[in-house]
Amino acid sequence: MRRRLSLLLLLGILFVLITTSIFFSDPIRGYIPKTTTGPVTAPPGSLQEPPSHSNVDTTTKVPQTKFDGAVHIALTETGGSHDEVVAAFVHSFASQPRVQMDIYQLLPRFGIKDIMASFDLPSKPSGPNDPSDFLSWKKPEQKLPDIWVATTCEIDLLYYQKNLTMLLENGKTYIYCVIHHADRWNNQKVKNLASQWVEQSRIEFVTLSPHTAEYLQKEGVGKWRVSMPPLIRYLVPIFPVSITSEESTQKQTNGENAPLPMVANEELSFALQGDYDPSRRDYTSLFSRLDSFLSGGNYKDLTMHLLGHGDNKPIIPDTIKPHVQFNERLSYIEYYSLIARTFALLPAFASVEYLDRKASSTIPAALIAGVPLVATKEMVQAYGYLNMDVVWEQEVGRSDIDVVGDVLKMTVEERRRKKQAVRESRDEIIKGNTRRVGEWLQEAMRRMGREL
Ligand SMILES: *[C@@H]1O[C@H](CO)[C@@H](O)[C@H](O)[C@H]1NC(C)=O
């Protein structure tokens, strides 16, 4: 009897312990996935307007004066490494009518200047100039910009911190603050630099993918205690490139300067992006799979391109040597042209951060080149401007090289159709970027009391 009682007591205590731990623990903690992948408002699979968390009534009673000069835009990059982001923002902002742009870029690399110079724009931007020239008054005709596109905003604000108060008090400039590290925006220092601009609705934040916009909203700027929550948007960092190929150079010497079709010089090849690093990629199994594709005697022309750099190059087994190419130190045009010839690009994310707080440059690179990525559903969801029609899907439990095996078995037609879908999607996104930035600028100028 006693024994039974103590057993009941024990059971009772256990029951209470279990139920309290179920009902009284943090009800949310266990349910928040570590990585939030969905875009804020754009459902995956469709190119939607970027999230616009506007609590700001843009029609507030700012007295409007008609604005009739050119809109002066200064675009800065003070980090020296985000060439493609610069090119994308140059293209979409300088495509607007009545815009005069000055570019200040620390280190334009790998021929990005040639790509920007080839853009078909209503008015040619100046530069790239050195970042120290911005606000230096070296040229007497220099004016304060109406719009400042800070493409490396985290560090641009620090670089120009001595000028921020002057610009704010002057009341003429509106900032587009482009975010690369959404997780750095819960840091006090950048917050101090930006918060006054936020209070006056003179800054908005632009990320490079919907997933990073969502992160910024949930974990960064969106958490700031300000009277006016700022706008958070995203822009897909892509731009048009004339892809070159041997065939096309021939055509050009024949006097044809028309934009080149991308299928020119197609190869039976795929490309892997990422630094040569055995800790990031299992080269042994990759090479043995390539060997097995080749050993059947099919795919005699199959080539694997390893795009990247690093001294830690993997050793290629002799049997597959003729089928593997290291492609390093390419210019951007060569890089995109090479990818354009392949049937698939395989990204390798260095960390899961590329699914929540950071945006990978491999994803836009595939779009720019017009080639499908090998991508998981998770990636397509995070980079919400992609959809299943423009990728080779990598299902759960399968490796990227498994997918390559599947694609090899398809017909040439099937592979071309997918590439065609990517190119169409790319062209739509580029057009959409220009259209959206036009709307953003109208809105910004209205907020500044100037009707465009
Ligand atoms: C911006 O700051 C720098 C450094 O203090 C200064 O030399 C420059 O004159 C400032 N520019 C303007 C327009 O005030």
Side-chain angles (χ1 to χ4, degrees):
M1 190 64 183
R2 236 190 152 157
R3 238 196 172 150
R4 197 177 277 172
L5 256 182
S6 54
L7 191 67
L8 274 176
L9 195 65
L10 191 71
L11 281 174
I13 291 169
L14 270 175
F15 179 74
V16 171
L17 276 177
I18 291 168
T19 46
T20 46
S21 75
I22 288 174
F23 292 111
F24 297 99
S25 64
D26 180 349
I28 293 171
R29 199 194 278 144
Y31 299 94
I32 293 187
K34 265 231 168 72
T35 53
T36 50
T37 50
V40 187
T41 55
S46 63
L47 181 72
Q48 297 271 321
E49 286 301 310
S52 165
H53 302 283
S54 180
N55 294 351
V56 183
D57 178 7
T58 52
T59 57
T60 38
K61 313 279 170 288
V62 183
Q64 302 283 314
T65 55
K66 191 83 187 147
F67 184 79
D68 33 50
V71 180
H72 286 266
I73 301 185
L75 182 142
T76 58
E77 201 275 6
T78 61
S81 62
H82 292 289
D83 307 284
E84 308 106 301
V85 176
V86 168
F89 280 78
V90 166
H91 186 264
S92 40
F93 276 78
S95 287
Q96 310 303 325
R98 292 170 50 203
V99 150
Q100 183 52 57
M101 179 185 277
D102 300 311
I103 304 170
Y104 302 91
Q105 185 181 3
L106 184 59
L107 198 67
R109 300 174 308 169
F110 311 125
I112 197 71
K113 284 197 231 178
D114 302 334
I115 292 183
M116 295 198 282
S118 75
F119 291 163
D120 181 17
L121 303 170
S123 165
K124 206 174 155 47
S126 85
N129 306 289
D130 193 85
S132 63
D133 291 346
F134 178 41
L135 302 171
S136 70
W137 299 142
K138 272 192 200 150
K139 290 186 215 148
E141 74 278 13
Q142 222 167 9
K143 285 196 200 168
L144 294 183
D146 302 299
I147 301 289
W148 174 11
V149 184
T151 67
T152 40
C153 191
E154 287 98 344
I155 49 178
D156 293 351
L157 292 184
L158 286 167
Y159 191 101
Y160 299 106
Q161 59 182 311
K162 293 219 172 84
N163 302 108
L164 290 177
T165 309
M166 177 278 295
L167 282 176
L168 192 68
E169 282 169 0
N170 207 282
K172 191 172 175 260
T173 306
Y174 189 94
I175 304 180
Y176 287 90
C177 177
V178 181
I179 310 278
H180 296 261
H181 300 270
D183 51 347
R184 291 198 191 153
W185 289 83
N186 38 33
N187 161 316
Q188 197 57 39
K189 192 157 190 181
V190 287
K191 187 176 165 181
N192 288 345
L193 292 172
S195 57
Q196 273 189 298
W197 290 81
V198 171
E199 287 294 350
Q200 297 195 19
S201 300
R202 296 262 305 282
I203 191 168
E204 57 193 73
F205 297 89
V206 188
T207 73
L208 304 171
S209 172
H211 71 287
T212 44
E214 184 184 33
Y215 191 95
L216 193 69
Q217 176 65 27
K218 282 202 181 138
E219 304 295 335
V221 174
K223 288 211 304 207
W224 293 5
R225 277 195 203 131
V226 285
S227 46
M228 295 279 211
L231 282 167
I232 298 175
R233 316 183 186 259
Y234 73 87
L235 189 85
V236 186
I238 67 171
F239 46 87
V241 177
S242 291
I243 303 295
T244 59
S245 66
E246 285 160 44
E247 240 179 63
S248 62
T249 23
Q250 252 177 4
K251 264 194 204 145
Q252 276 192 331
T253 52
N254 293 342
E256 253 184 69
N257 290 318
L260 312 157
M262 291 257 214
V263 265
N265 238 28
E266 184 175 60
E267 289 178 355
L268 189 66
S269 68
F270 60 99
L272 283 76
Q273 168 63 42
D275 293 349
Y276 309 136
D277 179 359
S279 73
R280 267 167 73 169
R281 240 184 186 128
D282 176 5
Y283 287 100
T284 317
S285 67
L286 193 64
F287 293 154
S288 82
R289 286 303 297 280
L290 183 63
D291 202 357
S292 76
F293 297 150
L294 293 164
S295 61
N298 303 317
Y299 324 127
K300 276 198 279 299
D301 303 321
L302 181 62
T303 304
M304 177 166 80
H305 293 282
L306 299 172
L307 304 169
H309 43 81
D311 302 326
N312 219 349
K313 278 199 192 121
I315 314 268
I316 315 279
D318 283 342
T319 48
I320 59 167
K321 232 175 204 155
H323 298 271
V324 181
Q325 281 183 22
F326 289 101
N327 301 103
E328 304 172 86
R329 284 182 267 283
L330 302 176
S331 73
Y332 283 107
I333 292 189
E334 289 167 333
Y335 172 73
Y336 297 125
S337 302
L338 190 146
I339 298 173
R341 299 203 292 267
T342 68
F343 61 74
L345 179 63
L346 283 56
F349 288 173
S351 74
V352 291
E353 295 194 341
Y354 287 98
L355 289 171
D356 72 355
R357 66 206 68 186
K358 280 158 86 177
S360 156
S361 64
T362 309
I363 310 295
L367 272 180
I368 291 170
V371 163
L373 290 154
V374 172
T376 61
K377 278 217 170 72
E378 212 182 6
M379 281 163 62
V380 172
Q381 209 190 4
Y383 295 77
Y385 53 87
L386 296 176
N387 63 62
M388 283 319 203
D389 296 341
V390 300
V391 303
W392 302 115
E393 185 184 350
Q394 180 185 344
E395 281 168 5
V396 178
R398 308 197 70 225
S399 69
D400 49 6
I401 195 76
D402 290 339
V403 179
V404 169
D406 298 346
V407 177
L408 278 172
K409 289 189 201 122
M410 292 177 184
T411 64
V412 176
E413 258 322 297
E414 280 174 287
R415 290 197 287 264
R416 279 191 190 144
R417 261 205 301 279
K418 182 74 90 177
K419 279 178 83 163
Q420 181 59 28
V422 181
R423 294 196 294 266
E424 281 167 13
S425 168
R426 170 199 61 204
D427 296 347
E428 279 306 305
I429 293 174
I430 292 174
K431 266 193 245 150
N433 279 353
T434 302
R435 179 175 48 74
R436 274 167 19 202
V437 166
E439 291 162 9
W440 298 358
L441 284 180
Q442 300 255 357
E443 201 178 317
M445 294 304 272
R446 228 178 2 253
R447 285 180 177 209
M448 306 275 288
R450 279 175 281 166
E451 197 79 61
L452 253 191

